Amino acid sequence: MLGTLLLAALAGLPMLWALGLALTQAFDAAAWQALWADPQTWRAWGMTLWTGLASTALAWITVAHVLASGFIRQQLGRWLSHLPALLATPHAAMAIGLVLWLSPSGWALRLVSPGLTGFDAPPPWFTTQDPWGLGLILALWLKEVPFLLWVAATQMQREDLRRRWQAEYALAQTLGRTPAQAFAQIVWPQLAPRLRWPLLAVLAYGLTVVDMALIIGPATPPTLAVLAWQWLSDADLLTQAQGVAAAGWLTGTVLVVGVVAGRFVGAAPSRRMLEHGKRLKLAGARRLPKAVFVGVWPPNVLWTTILTIYAAVWLALTVGSVSGVWPFPQVWPELWTLGAWQQVASSAHTVWTTLGLGVASASVCLLWSVAWLELAPRRWQQALQPWFLLPLVLPSVLWVVGLYSLALHTRLEGQWLGLSLAHAVMVLPYVLLALVPAYQAVDPRQAALVASLGHGRWVYLWRVKWPLLQRAIASAWAVGFAVSVAQYLPTLYVGAGRFATVTTEAVTLAAGAQRSLMSAYAALQMLLPILAFALAAWLGRPRRFEKIAPMKATP
């Protein structure tokens, strides 16, 4: 019990302290008056709602279609084998890759110019930072679909759930349901409520994203999160207070919209409903378009399109990082050079800072999560899990205000320890979210069996349980590392500008004209998580047992 309390306090108190400091600063009447008097506020808020809700709805429908098509055709495992590479692509790198394709001087227009367009110079079009927010919606949709699929896969790969859902799915077909109807009425209503927290995280990120909005989002006006970031960066104290008020308004928006989204997802169906075979009308099965489930869409076109866009982004970053002179409308550069990578190598401290923060924060969060899931009673885990997942669903600008204030109070502002702790706060929810389904799938009878053989708890953990969870533990660490690499606002504020990472460099360069250097940092930002996932795949590979030669019969 003492260990459980200590673990809860170790993770909960910093979050409570930081959140309290942020909310205290948000209640400033003068700042709220200035916020409402600013002519940009309402338009920015409307753009925030439009881009956040549209990207989340598209991601939710896409995930439902991909899961339905893959489950029905028994191809889901093969499709989801590409998820690690997609998850390893950071948000900023995705936005920069799309800009390299979709900008007026981008690759997409070069492929058809001047033959089909007649353009000998980039046209004055709004294709990336468009006033309608379509570029930001596209980037958010591409990044959130793999995250939701990954969380869904952690649920569908649980042995207990997988066997039960397959049996119920087969039973529904024997009762006259088509495969699509069986999935929509049996599997999806049980899976969708388990995606509630990930969906809220996707919604919160879409409503409050800053780095992607700076790169590919609208500029006239920007989203409210970008406005809050700009106000917080101002030297005037009243303007800074206005930024805090904007962060508070974003928090209220996320909470209200999140409640509505939670009601949309619905509650899990009861066992009695399943046993009596009643028609399930929960969790969006009656709310999502029938086209999502009934298969009028080609089975793999949507998933193939997403994979193709990711491959195009990777190609654009790779070519852009080694390009020199590249006049429009030539498809390929006139000059190939490694100058950008040489500049990256000359600032090796940036790479080492990124690696150090990622390894430290992911390792600390993994150790805490394993200890929490081992020591805390199940009722404690269920009661406190929403608190530990708050960084997922509250705006990053609000957390940055609280974490920066906490760093000032503890004199950790501009210190490596303070910055690593700030990263750990943002990483912890993702690691915990990755481990919980795997731990819930462990059969508790295994512990009793090991105990009946005369072994203690540590033997059970080291020889049975943790080897079985080896893949999930390694994957959770890789996810935490990728989340740390992608952190932008905590690095800027808590680091006080003294620490540069590949993400801060990539976002800063995105506002300039150094295409090759920007592409190199974005490619490196993508390469580091890919290496982490590759390491996790190697560490989580199944154990191989040597064959025992058969005993020869004695004469």
Side-chain angles (χ1 to χ4, degrees):
M1 183 64 68
L2 182 61
T4 302
L5 289 174
L6 182 61
L7 286 172
L10 190 62
L13 287 181
M15 292 184 182
L16 178 63
W17 194 354
L19 187 59
L21 290 173
L23 293 177
T24 301
Q25 298 179 53
F27 292 101
D28 187 339
W32 282 91
Q33 292 176 359
L35 176 66
W36 299 130
D38 195 296
Q40 302 179 89
T41 300
W42 286 105
R43 293 180 61 196
W45 186 53
M47 182 60 65
T48 296
L49 291 176
W50 159 241
T51 54
L53 292 175
S55 60
T56 303
L58 285 175
W60 185 246
I61 293 174
T62 302
V63 167
H65 170 69
V66 171
L67 291 176
S69 299
F71 187 89
I72 292 172
R73 293 168 177 83
Q74 298 182 0
Q75 297 178 343
L76 192 59
R78 181 171 60 86
W79 290 2
L80 298 185
S81 62
H82 304 92
L83 276 183
L86 274 58
L87 287 171
T89 306
H91 291 78
M94 169 59 69
I96 291 173
L98 290 175
V99 167
L100 292 176
W101 271 97
L102 302 178
S103 64
S105 61
W107 223 347
L109 199 57
R110 289 172 183 268
L111 292 174
V112 296
S113 298
L116 297 181
T117 63
F119 292 137
D120 293 323
W125 292 351
F126 292 102
T127 54
T128 52
Q129 291 186 317
D130 60 288
W132 310 281
L134 300 181
L136 180 58
I137 292 173
L138 173 64
L140 287 171
W141 171 66
L142 289 171
K143 274 305 302 171
E144 302 307 353
V145 166
F147 172 69
L148 287 175
L149 286 175
W150 167 68
V151 179
T154 61
Q155 296 290 341
M156 300 182 74
Q157 290 174 354
R158 287 179 50 178
E159 191 65 22
D160 54 340
L161 296 180
R162 183 179 63 84
R163 290 184 177 181
R164 191 183 77 194
W165 290 350
Q166 287 180 343
E168 294 171 351
Y169 171 77
L171 178 62
Q173 293 183 75
T174 64
L175 297 176
R177 299 292 190 268
T178 65
Q181 290 174 339
F183 182 89
Q185 298 176 8
I186 299 298
V187 179
W188 180 253
Q190 300 179 72
L191 175 62
R194 299 175 183 273
L195 305 180
R196 178 180 301 174
W197 278 102
L199 178 64
L200 294 180
V202 167
L203 178 61
Y205 187 86
L207 292 172
T208 62
V209 62
V210 174
D211 51 353
M212 292 187 80
L214 286 172
I215 298 170
I216 200 173
T220 52
T223 59
L224 188 57
V226 173
L227 270 184
W229 172 77
Q230 293 173 350
W231 290 334
L232 287 171
S233 303
D234 198 278
D236 182 63
L237 294 179
L238 181 58
T239 305
Q240 292 181 12
Q242 184 177 340
V244 177
W249 179 246
L250 276 175
T251 303
T253 301
V254 169
L255 293 177
V256 172
V257 177
V259 170
V260 177
R263 292 181 62 86
F264 170 82
V265 174
S270 65
R271 184 176 298 275
R272 184 177 180 183
M273 293 179 65
L274 296 175
E275 290 175 351
H276 290 280
K278 293 183 178 179
R279 180 180 177 87
L280 299 177
K281 296 181 178 180
L282 300 173
R286 61 180 177 180
R287 301 179 179 93
L288 287 176
K290 291 184 178 180
V292 172
F293 298 114
V294 300
V296 298
W297 296 356
N300 58 353
V301 167
L302 188 58
W303 184 237
T304 303
T305 301
I306 293 176
L307 294 179
T308 303
I309 296 176
Y310 268 84
V313 167
W314 300 334
L315 178 62
L317 293 177
T318 302
V319 174
S321 66
V322 294
S323 64
V325 179
W326 196 355
F328 188 90
Q330 292 186 10
V331 176
W332 298 101
E334 286 185 352
L335 177 66
W336 301 88
T337 176
L338 295 176
W341 287 103
Q342 291 173 354
Q343 294 186 52
V344 172
S346 64
S347 59
H349 62 278
T350 300
V351 180
W352 287 114
T353 299
T354 306
L355 287 173
L357 290 171
V359 171
S361 57
S363 301
V364 168
C365 292
L366 180 64
L367 291 175
W368 183 92
S369 299
V370 171
W372 173 254
L373 294 174
E374 289 292 347
L375 298 177
R378 181 63 62 88
R379 63 180 184 277
W380 281 50
Q381 296 179 22
Q382 295 175 350
L384 295 180
Q385 181 175 342
W387 174 256
F388 296 138
L389 296 182
L390 277 182
L392 279 176
V393 297
L394 292 184
S396 57
V397 287
L398 181 74
W399 281 108
V400 162
V401 171
L403 291 173
Y404 181 70
S405 302
L406 178 59
L408 289 176
H409 280 76
T410 56
R411 298 183 179 180
L412 293 176
E413 181 256 351
Q415 304 295 322
W416 192 89
L417 178 60
L419 183 55
S420 60
L421 291 177
H423 276 230
V425 170
M426 309 306 294
V427 167
L428 179 62
Y430 291 91
V431 176
L432 188 61
L433 200 64
L435 280 180
V436 167
Y439 261 82
Q440 291 177 348
V442 174
D443 192 342
R445 293 174 296 180
Q446 295 175 351
L449 178 60
V450 173
S452 67
L453 297 175
H455 299 292
R457 178 175 175 80
W458 281 107
V459 173
Y460 165 65
L461 292 177
W462 283 104
R463 302 293 298 275
V464 178
K465 187 175 184 179
W466 287 344
L468 290 175
L469 296 175
Q470 182 177 344
R471 184 176 181 180
I473 292 173
S475 299
W477 183 89
V479 169
F481 179 86
V483 172
S484 175
V485 170
Q487 291 303 307
Y488 176 66
L489 290 182
T491 306
L492 280 182
Y493 284 91
V494 180
R498 300 177 186 176
F499 297 91
T501 64
V502 292
T503 298
T504 59
E505 294 294 323
V507 175
T508 301
L509 291 168
Q514 293 181 289
R515 175 176 50 208
S516 59
L517 189 58
M518 171 191 69
S519 301
Y521 271 107
L524 183 60
Q525 186 197 22
M526 179 180 65
L527 180 61
L528 293 179
I530 288 178
L531 293 177
F533 276 99
L535 177 62
W538 181 76
L539 293 176
R541 67 191 188 282
R543 292 183 296 173
R544 295 181 180 273
F545 299 95
E546 297 181 359
K547 293 183 178 180
I548 301 177
M551 297 181 61
K552 295 182 179 180
T554 58

